Amino acid sequence: MADDKSAVDAKPENGIPAALARTTSRLSNSPSVIPVPRSARRGLLANLCLVPEIPNPTHYAHPTKWFITFTVALSAAAAPMGSAVIMPALSDVAEALNTTPTITNLSVALYMLSMSIFPLWWSSFSETLGRRTIYIVSFIWFTVFAVLSAVSQNIAMLIAMRVLSGGGSASVQAVGAGTIADIWEPKERGTAMGIFYLGPLCGPLIAPIIGGALAEGLGWRSTQWFLVVYGGLVTIFLIFAIPETLRRRKSVLKEAENEAVEDLHKTEAAADDGNTDLQRTTTRQTVHLKTKKYLAFARRCFLDPLRIVLLLRFPAIALTIYYAAIAFGTLYFLNISIEATFSAPPYNFSTIIVGLLYIPNSLGYLVASLFGGRWIDRIMRREAAKAGRYDENGKLIFRPEDRMRENAWIAGAMFPLALVWYGWSAQEGVLWICPMVANFFFGLGSMIIFATATTMLTEFMPRKASSGIAANNFVRNIFSCVGGIVAEPLLNTLGNGWILTIFAIWSLVSGALVIWAMRKYSKKWRKSLEEALAEDED
């Protein structure tokens, strides 16, 4: 039924009505669904993938799309799992490596910083090398440095190895959302993005429980060995389960090479007429060819990733990212607060119990992922129908800003109020269930904001979806890094109540201003963004 429904809404192809083309695609030789021959498949170890590559990834059957979405979500859980699995054991790490809790928190904070910087490169490379190659290379990287984290002999080595490990796992934070945008059409993308975000946001549900149990039974190093096992299994799964989904187009390096080769051939043809001066020119053209290739390679490696940050000059992108970053930064501050608050008087919970206290906000993520995405998709369809936006085929025309309606107002009020609730109940030593209920509502509200912002970014710039998500990760993980660094000193100085109340006011005011601005100016901002991106592509 899902395939038939999507067929009705699809655009006509090659003059054939969309419904007929899609319905008969399984029985015909339509080029959009015929698997790419194994010899022509793209990506590292592509011949080993059990899911065939097809020319148009949106034409995968729904079960295949969900399988790919699940695999990417499973991979995306690695990054937050790497940051959260050690949280219940931070005091054990400080004791074992003879350091202070504030320095130990750097192993979490700088891990988040690496997750903000590395995706700039992963995202940039994925637009030319493809998604699959980046997934496999980055997870091998993640696994290797997780091994070195597990055998670290001092806090400096642990922090350095975790920074590099976090950089590897962070690839899916940006590239994964690009994969979702590759295979899902806009009308279904909110639901798919919600399921995808189950991975990165439910990693904190499982990781602290596992980390607490492992640290109490086997010591803190076992938490890093768990990451080694997880990374290795995910690498194997990616090799066999993820096809290349990036639309085929010429890479920067290939274009530079083709241009230079064309010039070279022209000169060689002229040299064949017997002109020795032109023969000497042929040698210069050969040098020119190599130089142009090297310059294109250098640009791809060093300049193009940094250009992603320039996306923040567009108000629609900047405001969407800013609002998501506030919610994400408060999340990691809250995570540090849980460990610091409930392992100390009056609670004095053991390491494994502290790990269990991360469950409530993750349950909020789960509920929001399962139902929030569908809610947002329905809002989007409603707004498009209300505005009468239909194309010539009667298909609804969606706008990214349609996703930020009453869902954003409700969620934008829910998670700041939950921060106040948690902060004062935890500071006053109220029965543990009270702050935990608050954390559930924090998870519910913040997850709706995360999913809304991420989906909007993929739709503001559909041809460079992973670049938009990389810019989002860059800002939000910087917020998370700062939150992790300042959490311990601020909690010791102001306490949970006052500091989280300040964050709540900041979040409420920022959220109201962002939603109002997006409603009022989004059409103008989106038009200028589309024009600028079109010029860049030309």
Side-chain angles (χ1 to χ4, degrees):
M1 283 299 292
D3 288 342
D4 295 339
K5 181 178 183 301
S6 62
V8 173
D9 294 331
K11 293 181 178 178
E13 295 178 9
N14 302 323
I16 302 173
L20 179 61
R22 187 70 62 83
T23 303
T24 60
S25 63
R26 299 178 186 83
L27 305 176
S28 67
N29 290 327
S30 170
S32 63
V33 292
I34 291 179
V36 174
R38 285 187 177 272
S39 60
R41 292 181 185 177
R42 297 168 296 158
L44 187 64
L45 305 175
N47 288 338
L48 298 179
C49 186
L50 302 179
V51 179
E53 179 186 346
I54 64 175
N56 188 343
T58 61
H59 290 176
Y60 277 118
H62 270 60
T64 304
K65 290 183 180 182
W66 284 119
F67 175 72
I68 294 173
T69 301
F70 167 77
T71 303
V72 175
L74 186 71
S75 307
M81 193 172 288
S83 68
V85 74
I86 200 172
M87 282 183 177
L90 288 176
S91 56
D92 297 339
V93 174
E95 182 178 351
L97 299 181
N98 298 314
T99 187
T100 65
T102 301
I103 298 299
T104 307
N105 285 344
L106 289 176
S107 68
V108 175
L110 295 183
Y111 184 99
M112 299 305 302
L113 183 62
S114 71
M115 287 173 58
S116 75
I117 297 174
F118 277 75
L120 299 179
W121 273 262
W122 296 132
S123 174
S124 178
F125 292 155
S126 78
E127 299 294 344
T128 50
L129 299 177
R131 320 292 194 200
R132 175 181 169 85
T133 297
I134 295 302
Y135 287 142
I136 295 173
V137 170
S138 63
F139 266 83
I140 293 174
W141 177 310
F142 167 68
T143 305
V144 168
F145 285 104
V147 171
L148 295 175
S149 297
V151 299
S152 296
Q153 298 302 307
N154 53 62
I155 191 63
M157 180 179 178
L158 176 65
I159 291 173
M161 295 304 102
R162 277 181 54 78
V163 164
L164 294 171
S165 178
S169 66
S171 65
V172 194
Q173 300 282 309
V175 183
T179 298
I180 303 303
D182 292 340
I183 65 176
W184 290 99
E185 296 177 357
K187 64 180 181 181
E188 302 167 310
R189 198 172 291 159
T191 302
M193 199 66 73
I195 299 302
F196 162 68
Y197 254 92
L198 278 176
L201 290 176
C202 282
L205 167 63
I206 303 170
I209 301 171
I210 295 174
L214 288 174
E216 189 159 297
L218 300 173
W220 70 268
R221 293 184 189 277
S222 61
T223 64
Q224 303 306 295
W225 286 115
F226 167 78
L227 295 179
V228 174
V229 174
Y230 188 86
L233 292 176
V234 167
T235 303
I236 294 171
F237 204 55
L238 288 169
I239 290 172
F240 290 101
I242 290 289
E244 183 54 64
T245 61
L246 183 69
R247 297 295 179 90
R248 291 177 179 264
R249 58 177 180 263
K250 290 182 179 180
S251 71
V252 173
L253 297 178
K254 195 66 177 177
E255 289 175 352
E257 180 180 356
N258 290 344
E259 182 181 340
V261 168
E262 185 177 348
D263 293 342
L264 179 60
H265 285 169
K266 289 178 180 178
T267 305
E268 288 175 341
D272 289 339
D273 294 337
N275 190 326
T276 56
D277 291 336
L278 289 178
Q279 290 176 354
R280 287 193 294 272
T281 303
T282 302
T283 303
R284 290 198 297 272
Q285 287 294 106
T286 303
V287 174
H288 174 65
L289 167 63
K290 293 182 179 180
T291 302
K292 201 158 191 174
K293 286 179 62 177
Y294 293 144
L295 288 175
F297 178 77
R299 193 186 84 179
R300 170 59 63 189
C301 290
F302 301 108
L303 294 181
D304 285 359
L306 297 177
R307 289 178 62 189
I308 292 175
V309 180
L310 296 180
L311 293 173
L312 297 175
R313 73 185 188 274
F314 301 110
I317 299 291
L319 287 179
T320 303
I321 289 175
Y322 166 72
Y323 191 28
I326 291 175
F328 208 74
T330 54
L331 162 64
Y332 274 82
F333 190 98
L334 186 63
N335 284 343
I336 295 291
S337 171
I338 291 173
E339 196 277 335
T341 301
F342 291 94
S343 62
Y347 296 103
N348 291 318
F349 290 155
S350 65
T351 302
I352 191 169
I353 297 299
V354 170
L356 293 173
L357 295 181
Y358 290 89
I359 292 178
N361 54 354
S362 297
L363 289 178
Y365 304 149
L366 180 63
V367 172
S369 294
L370 294 177
F371 302 106
R374 297 178 184 178
W375 180 28
I376 296 169
D377 283 341
R378 283 198 297 270
I379 291 172
M380 197 175 192
R381 289 192 292 269
R382 181 198 70 200
E383 293 298 319
K386 185 190 299 184
R389 294 197 302 266
Y390 295 91
D391 62 14
E392 64 275 9
N393 301 310
K395 183 180 177 182
L396 288 171
I397 300 174
F398 301 114
R399 297 286 182 256
E401 59 269 18
D402 288 343
R403 296 190 182 277
M404 197 171 278
R405 298 291 173 173
E406 67 269 19
N407 59 304
W409 288 111
I410 293 172
M414 184 183 297
F415 85 84
L417 294 177
L419 282 176
V420 176
W421 178 357
Y422 165 85
W424 288 106
S425 59
Q427 180 163 315
E428 297 301 321
V430 176
L431 183 66
W432 62 270
I433 192 66
C434 183
M436 291 304 103
V437 172
N439 281 358
F440 169 81
F441 286 105
F442 173 85
L444 184 65
S446 60
M447 174 60 193
I448 293 174
I449 298 299
F450 297 148
T452 299
T454 303
T455 311
M456 286 175 62
L457 289 171
T458 65
E459 291 168 349
F460 274 130
M461 39 193 311
R463 293 179 63 84
K464 294 185 177 181
S466 64
S467 296
I469 304 304
N472 182 38
N473 289 336
F474 177 74
V475 176
R476 76 177 192 179
N477 286 321
I478 287 177
F479 273 60
S480 302
C481 173
V482 173
I485 293 173
V486 304
E488 191 84 23
L490 287 178
L491 288 171
N492 292 336
T493 303
L494 298 177
N496 280 296
W498 281 115
I499 190 59
L500 291 178
T501 298
I502 293 171
F503 285 163
I505 294 172
W506 180 20
S507 301
L508 279 170
V509 173
S510 295
L513 292 175
V514 168
I515 298 169
W516 172 81
M518 292 296 290
R519 293 283 295 271
K520 186 172 179 63
Y521 300 109
S522 58
K523 184 177 180 180
K524 179 178 69 175
W525 289 342
R526 178 166 37 79
K527 184 178 180 180
S528 63
L529 171 61
E530 290 171 355
E531 291 173 353
L533 293 178
E535 290 177 2
D536 289 344
E537 289 178 0
D538 293 340

